Amino acid sequence: TAKGNVVLTQGENTLKADSATYFVSSGWVSLEGNVEVHWEGYDAWAEKGELDLKEKIGWLENGLLFARDTHVYVRASRFDKIGDDTYLFRQARITACDGDTPAWSVTAGRGSVTLEGYAETYNTSFDILGVPVLFSPWAVVPVKTERTSGLLFPTFGTDSRLGAYYQQPIYMVFDEEQDATLYLDDYLDRGPMAGFEYRSATDAASKGLWRLDLMYDRVTASNLDE
């Protein structure tokens, strides 16, 4: 047991705390007060926690986790590390933005995250500058550096010309230089519409964008204003 600016090192990994107790037989270490963890690609700060230095699992309470490779922050009331890069969390906010008020963030009551993979969240809200703009009881959020194909957040609302509408974009990655978005929209007063947007960027000076929208319109307009 050690107290007062305790520092434990294991190779390039470092643990810091106001007090620490190391159990030699099991390899567990208990940390209390101003806990810092700098361990194999991630950094964490917490009030207290326990870690298994042999199996590399454990838990932290009231802390912040930062993954260096993906530049992802997860602030939560509790983390449980259950695998090499997998964590369970409670009352969390996930973002890739710096600062106390990130440009975007995802808050969740509970869930799990795999670094360089996905976060599965429950009771989720998508926030812009700290303001909730979309809620979902369940969501899967990518937390990886590589672009990944998948569903984007849908949008819905009402329009004076189109009526109530729902828009579902699908993002597709072809390679490092090409991607596209497929739009599947439905407008209550006008009908369904499909759209396709293709983007390419072979270098900084060569970029292209092509878009096509097709709609089966239930309304025949008698002039351009309609």
Side-chain angles (χ1 to χ4, degrees):
T1 298
K3 295 183 179 180
N5 298 319
V6 182
V7 179
L8 296 89
T9 60
Q10 187 182 58
E12 297 181 355
N13 302 319
T14 302
L15 305 177
K16 298 181 181 180
D18 292 340
S19 64
T21 301
Y22 178 58
F23 300 89
V24 178
S25 59
S26 65
W28 277 85
V29 59
S30 176
L31 306 168
E32 294 238 8
N34 298 308
V35 175
E36 289 188 31
V37 179
H38 306 284
W39 201 278
E40 297 182 355
Y42 73 90
D43 304 303
W45 300 263
E47 292 182 359
K48 62 180 180 179
E50 293 184 354
L51 300 172
D52 184 340
L53 303 185
K54 295 180 180 179
E55 301 296 330
K56 299 178 182 178
I57 58 175
W59 58 267
L60 297 170
E61 284 190 357
N62 297 321
L64 172 66
L65 173 72
F66 175 66
R68 300 180 208 136
D69 293 339
T70 57
H71 200 87
V72 170
Y73 296 90
V74 183
R75 185 181 296 276
S77 62
R78 180 177 171 109
F79 297 99
D80 286 275
K81 190 174 188 291
I82 60 174
D84 289 341
D85 295 309
T86 302
Y87 300 80
L88 304 179
F89 55 77
R90 302 175 192 168
Q91 303 300 324
R93 183 177 73 178
I94 304 168
T95 183
C97 304
D98 298 322
D100 294 333
T101 306
W104 69 266
S105 61
V106 174
T107 59
R110 63 182 180 89
S112 63
V113 59
T114 300
L115 303 182
E116 198 60 40
Y118 294 88
E120 183 177 11
T121 61
Y122 297 87
N123 298 325
T124 307
S125 70
F126 182 75
D127 305 340
I128 302 295
L129 295 175
V131 179
V133 297
L134 185 66
F135 176 81
S136 175
W138 174 83
V140 175
V141 181
V143 288
K144 53 175 64 179
T145 53
E146 294 183 356
R147 297 179 300 164
T148 304
S149 300
L151 295 177
L152 300 179
F153 279 104
T155 58
F156 49 88
T158 59
D159 184 273
S160 59
R161 295 177 63 246
L162 304 174
Y165 63 88
Y166 177 87
Q167 299 174 327
Q168 177 60 69
I170 303 172
Y171 182 63
M172 297 174 287
V173 177
F174 304 124
D175 54 39
E176 290 298 316
E177 300 175 348
Q178 303 175 86
D179 60 21
T181 305
L182 175 65
Y183 298 89
L184 301 174
D185 307 340
D186 188 41
Y187 299 94
L188 185 63
D189 293 348
R190 306 299 289 261
M193 182 174 75
F196 184 79
E197 183 178 283
Y198 169 78
R199 297 168 294 270
S200 67
T202 55
D203 55 57
S206 302
K207 298 180 181 180
L209 187 149
W210 295 264
R211 175 151 187 172
L212 174 67
D213 292 297
L214 297 173
M215 182 180 196
Y216 177 78
D217 199 339
R218 300 190 186 99
V219 177
T220 301
S222 58
N223 57 67
L224 292 179
D225 294 333
E226 297 183 21

